[in-house]
Amino acid sequence: MSLLNDLINLDLSETTEKTIVEYIWIGGSGMDLRSKARTISGPITDPAQLPKWNYDGSSTGQAPGEDSEVILHPQAIFPDPFRRGNHILVICDTYTPAGEPIPTNKRYNAAKTFSHPDVVAEEPWYGIEQEYTLLQKDVKWPLGWPVGGFPGPQGPYYCAIGADKAFGRDIVDAHYKACLYAGINISGINGEVMPGQWEYQVGPSVGISAGDQVWVSRYILERITEIAGVVVSFDPKPIPGDWNGAGAHTNYSTKSMRSDGGYEVIKAAIDKLGLKHKEHIAAYGEGNERRLTGRHETADINTFLWGVANRGASIRVGRDTEKAGKGYFEDRRPASNMDPYVVTSMIAETTILWKP
Amino acid sequence: MALLTDLINLNLSDTTKKVIAEYIWIGGSGMDLRSKAKTLSGPVTDPSKLPKWNYDGSSTGQAPGEDSEVILYPQAIFKDPFRRGNNILVMCDAYTPAGEPIPTNKRHSAAKIFSHPEVAAEEPWYGIEQEYTLLQKDVKWPLGWPQGGYPGPQGPYYCGIGADKAFGRDIVDAHYKACLYAGINISGINGEVMPGQWEFQVGPSVGISAGDELWVARYILERITEIAGVVVSFDPKPIVGDWNGAGAHTNYSTKSTRKEGGFEVIKKLIEKLGHRHKEHIAAYGEGNERRLTGRHETADINTFKWGVADRGASIRVGRDIEKEGKGYFEDRRPASNMDPYVVTSMIAETTILGKQ
């Protein structure tokens, strides 16, 4: 296969100034990532230099066959960790030919929220803890688990090492470096409580870029599992029973929360979130009711409670934030399959713009 | 295998000025590519400086045993992505010793059409979307499909990512860079609707070079699948049933269609194509009747219809073309196994020379 790798890894910079641009978008289910590539002349440093493109929306459940074009608007570029050189990835959002965002385009409204002057003034930061489960291809059973059976109970696996405790680290480590190469603000990784489950964190990112970076990091992850011959799942409760679910805890702060006296601002923001608990939960990911049971370090889906250092709460405030009197808090409700555009903008809207 | 790879990748430019030229031609079936290599004394960049050569036509169904020499005329040079250095690929066409093009030589008459002054004046551009299917060696069942069974239905695979949705990306990515290295005007790639099926696009290319570039791109693709131990199929309907076929949609424009008022010219040219529908279909690839059924984003083989953004039409005009009033259109009828010399020259003949 090394001859194939020689070709995949060809450094074209000696022979051509052409750049390969991989356009990425979100498909009709709201979770399926799609991409295709085109050749562009010359190096690209700004998404504004990239042309709009289009794709066959009838093949992704986003348009009818007799009027199938969906338009791609380039929004953010990242160096391509797979093709390297000057080649790039670009995350796009999707529009009708008339210029209207299509229904599955959640970025559009999020961008509007994030450009509201009151939101801009508060400089909202997000740190998202993306959990995910690796599954064996073909049988869709977690990586490292015996087919037709279960591993020993949870306990030894969180942050563990060893062939009997950590399954798939090569994927996780490749992803870490690939994201850093791509310019994504990946802040850490760890093995999770359920064997075969992992987590990485993206942030702190400001406003709309949180969503862009999480989506591109998910793209890079699924491209890496594709190479590894493993399937990645963002299901919030992949295995029923005494096994942890997968979340996307969203850490959040604003300028006011990060300044002196911020702790009071945090408490006020949490109160507002409590008043809109049902609306947020409805937008925090499909299937979350299987995960938010009140067990396995979650709060029950119908309950809103917050607490310092409380992992069984809906919202957790760190001891260091309480002590410093300012900082950030963690919304533990979002599921691993949440849309970061939706969650980040909704938190900003409820805490900054909404007056109860 | 590393020792073998070391030898294959030997960089000879320090030890010798000699150059290896791989002469490529099309065999007796009209779709089988053949090639053999010879050593030249120094680098060559102009095809007219390359010597004519010959091969055993009785071994390719192109000549009788007692008079078996077929002469190769070098027509276009490309950098060799496999041998790299100063080594080259040479696209040739085939003649009798008396200098007559042999019956399977479709390039000769295409070149005549493209050198007709009226055609040359219109500067015909072509963008060809070559679809193909990857098959597991030995069983000839698509790559990634379970043997004796089928994958889940179409939906998730178009531009999809992940080990359960994209099969053979390493071949596709190696091909993209190899073609760019070779100097082929490859403009993009994407995963197709049927799993294991892919597409690359070549263009815009002018006149006869569209055919040369597409044939060499096909050559490079089959050499890469050979390395990967996978079989490539250009059959237009490789799997019967609710699975997409494979086409070679041909995008076309002339000076007149690219100018102001071009949309009206486009409509006239489409009308001319409509009058010769049967003749074109007969030359657009063997077995196309299994593919052009009216379903799976095709128009029925007996029907000629065109439409804006209509993927169920014989000819599709993009929304952006309609909006700008000029541009190009897409002939969706050619099958994946079409001969680009035939299709490109026939479109020019019908639309520019007005052949009826």
Side-chain angles (χ1 to χ4, degrees):
Chain A
M1 270 332 173
S2 64
L3 292 180
L4 204 56
N5 288 345
D6 291 341
L7 292 170
I8 294 174
N9 292 332
L10 264 177
D11 177 2
L12 296 172
S13 49
E14 314 270 311
T15 43
T16 173
E17 39 76 53
K18 290 183 175 167
T19 302
I20 304 175
V21 183
E22 188 85 29
Y23 281 57
I24 301 167
W25 72 94
I26 298 156
S29 77
M31 264 308 279
D32 55 314
L33 279 158
R34 310 273 180 156
S35 76
K36 56 174 179 158
R38 72 191 297 189
T39 311
I40 305 269
S41 294
I44 303 289
T45 48
D46 191 302
Q49 297 170 280
L50 288 169
K52 293 188 170 80
W53 204 9
N54 66 76
Y55 68 93
D56 175 10
S58 68
S59 289
T60 59
Q62 294 170 304
E66 63 281 359
D67 188 10
S68 59
E69 278 178 34
V70 176
I71 316 301
L72 291 167
H73 289 208
Q75 297 294 355
I77 63 179
F78 302 85
D80 184 335
F82 306 101
R83 296 193 177 101
R84 299 186 287 280
N86 285 325
H87 310 299
I88 56 175
L89 309 174
V90 57
I91 181 85
C92 307
D93 62 347
T94 49
Y95 296 78
T96 62
E100 294 301 309
I102 67 174
T104 48
N105 178 352
K106 305 301 180 192
R107 191 191 191 279
Y108 185 78
N109 287 336
K112 282 211 297 199
T113 298
F114 284 120
S115 46
H116 189 295
D118 295 354
V119 175
V120 175
E122 279 290 359
E123 241 190 275
W125 288 6
Y126 299 89
I128 296 171
E129 305 169 35
Q130 175 74 68
E131 293 181 329
Y132 61 91
T133 313
L134 297 174
L135 307 176
Q136 304 170 44
K137 196 168 85 84
D138 299 340
V139 294
K140 301 276 177 73
W141 196 233
L143 189 65
W145 293 35
V147 174
F150 294 82
Q154 297 184 150
Y157 312 109
Y158 171 73
C159 298
I161 59 173
D164 51 348
K165 294 176 288 261
F167 310 132
R169 187 189 300 276
D170 50 354
I171 290 167
V172 183
D173 275 350
H175 180 250
Y176 201 165
K177 282 196 176 179
C179 284
L180 282 174
Y181 178 96
I184 289 171
N185 202 0
I186 182 168
S187 43
I189 58 158
N190 61 270
E192 267 303 330
V193 175
M194 181 176 112
Q197 202 171 75
W198 296 85
E199 170 181 314
Y200 65 92
Q201 306 97 30
V202 175
S205 315
V206 188
I208 195 68
S209 71
D212 289 337
Q213 294 201 6
V214 170
W215 274 115
V216 178
S217 70
R218 286 175 174 177
Y219 176 84
I220 292 173
L221 177 60
E222 193 161 17
R223 286 285 307 273
I224 287 174
T225 54
E226 182 188 312
I227 292 170
V230 163
V231 169
V232 60
S233 168
F234 293 102
D235 188 273
K237 190 76 174 184
I239 308 290
D242 199 4
W243 304 100
N244 273 30
H249 304 159
T250 300
N251 298 278
Y252 173 68
S253 69
T254 60
K255 212 171 198 162
S256 308
M257 296 174 196
R258 297 188 290 269
S259 319
D260 287 327
Y263 194 62
E264 298 308 312
V265 182
I266 286 174
K267 287 199 284 190
I270 293 177
D271 284 340
K272 283 202 204 175
L273 286 168
L275 293 171
K276 285 210 143 192
H277 178 67
K278 274 197 157 61
E279 289 87 338
H280 277 245
I281 283 289
Y284 273 15
E286 292 297 311
N288 215 1
E289 66 285 352
R290 290 181 282 120
R291 167 183 160 258
L292 295 180
T293 58
R295 296 176 60 226
H296 301 112
E297 300 169 273
T298 70
D300 179 79
I301 197 170
N302 296 312
T303 306
F304 182 85
L305 87 117
W306 76 273
V308 174
N310 183 355
R311 275 182 161 77
S314 321
I315 299 205
R316 175 173 79 99
V317 178
R319 287 217 176 281
D320 43 357
T321 296
E322 186 193 33
K323 197 156 151 215
K326 55 185 176 177
Y328 66 95
F329 64 85
E330 178 193 26
D331 188 344
R332 294 175 64 79
R333 299 170 293 170
S336 42
N337 60 355
M338 61 82 156
D339 185 325
Y341 294 132
V342 170
V343 170
T344 56
S345 59
M346 200 174 194
I347 291 175
E349 229 183 71
T350 298
T351 59
I352 301 173
L353 297 177
W354 183 55
K355 315 274 179 252
Chain B
M1 276 321 180
L3 294 177
L4 205 56
T5 306
D6 292 340
L7 292 170
I8 293 174
N9 289 336
L10 264 177
N11 182 354
L12 297 170
S13 45
D14 295 330
T15 43
T16 174
K17 295 193 22 221
K18 289 180 176 172
V19 154
I20 306 173
E22 187 86 29
Y23 281 55
I24 300 167
W25 73 94
I26 299 158
S29 77
M31 264 307 281
D32 55 316
L33 280 158
R34 310 274 182 155
S35 74
K36 55 176 179 156
K38 79 187 322 212
T39 310
L40 306 173
S41 51
V44 180
T45 47
D46 181 352
S48 63
K49 304 271 194 301
L50 286 169
K52 292 189 171 76
W53 204 10
N54 66 77
Y55 66 93
D56 173 10
S58 69
S59 291
T60 59
Q62 292 170 304
E66 65 280 2
D67 188 10
S68 61
E69 273 178 32
V70 177
I71 317 301
L72 289 168
Y73 287 29
Q75 297 293 357
I77 291 180
F78 299 85
K79 285 162 64 76
D80 184 337
F82 306 101
R83 297 194 177 101
R84 298 186 283 283
N86 286 322
N87 305 304
I88 56 176
L89 305 177
V90 183
M91 187 65 205
C92 306
D93 61 346
Y95 295 79
T96 63
E100 293 302 307
I102 66 174
T104 50
N105 178 350
K106 305 300 179 191
R107 191 188 191 280
H108 186 79
S109 4
K112 282 213 296 205
I113 289 171
F114 284 120
S115 46
H116 189 296
E118 284 172 50
V119 175
E122 277 290 355
E123 241 191 272
W125 289 5
Y126 299 89
I128 300 174
E129 304 169 36
Q130 176 73 68
E131 293 179 332
Y132 61 92
T133 312
L134 297 174
L135 306 177
Q136 303 169 42
K137 198 169 83 84
D138 300 340
V139 293
K140 300 280 177 72
W141 196 232
L143 188 66
W145 293 36
Q147 277 189 47
Y150 294 82
Q154 297 185 149
Y157 313 109
Y158 169 73
C159 300
I161 61 173
D164 52 347
K165 291 173 289 245
F167 310 132
R169 188 191 298 275
D170 50 354
I171 290 167
V172 184
D173 275 350
H175 181 250
Y176 200 164
K177 281 196 176 178
C179 285
L180 282 174
Y181 179 94
I184 289 170
N185 202 359
I186 180 166
S187 43
I189 57 159
N190 62 269
E192 267 303 329
V193 177
M194 182 176 112
Q197 201 171 75
W198 296 86
E199 170 181 314
F200 64 91
Q201 306 97 32
V202 174
S205 314
V206 189
I208 196 68
S209 72
D212 289 336
E213 292 195 19
L214 190 71
W215 273 115
V216 178
R218 286 174 173 178
Y219 176 84
I220 291 173
L221 177 59
E222 193 159 15
R223 284 286 306 275
I224 287 175
T225 55
E226 181 188 313
I227 292 171
V230 163
V231 168
V232 61
S233 167
F234 292 102
D235 188 274
K237 190 77 174 183
I239 307 291
V240 293
D242 200 2
W243 303 101
N244 273 31
H249 303 160
T250 301
N251 297 279
Y252 174 67
S253 70
T254 61
K255 220 174 194 157
S256 305
T257 67
R258 296 190 290 269
K259 283 197 321 224
E260 294 305 313
F263 190 59
E264 296 307 309
V265 180
I266 286 175
K267 289 197 279 193
K268 289 205 181 69
L269 300 190
I270 292 177
E271 210 186 303
K272 291 192 192 179
L273 287 167
H275 292 316
R276 292 196 89 207
H277 179 66
K278 277 196 157 57
E279 289 85 340
H280 277 247
I281 282 290
Y284 273 13
E286 292 298 310
N288 214 1
E289 67 286 352
R290 288 181 282 121
R291 168 185 159 253
L292 295 180
T293 58
R295 296 176 60 225
H296 301 114
E297 300 170 276
T298 69
D300 180 79
I301 197 170
N302 297 311
T303 306
F304 181 85
K305 64 185 264 246
W306 76 275
V308 174
D310 184 355
R311 281 183 156 80
S314 322
I315 299 204
R316 174 173 81 101
V317 178
R319 285 220 174 278
D320 43 353
I321 310 304
E322 185 191 39
K323 200 162 149 210
E324 282 170 53
K326 57 185 175 174
Y328 65 95
F329 62 86
E330 178 192 24
D331 189 344
R332 295 174 64 81
R333 299 171 294 172
S336 42
N337 60 355
M338 62 79 153
D339 186 326
Y341 294 132
V342 170
V343 170
T344 56
S345 59
M346 196 173 195
I347 290 176
E349 214 182 37
T350 299
T351 58
I352 302 174
L353 299 179
K355 176 142 182 198
Q356 289 298 298

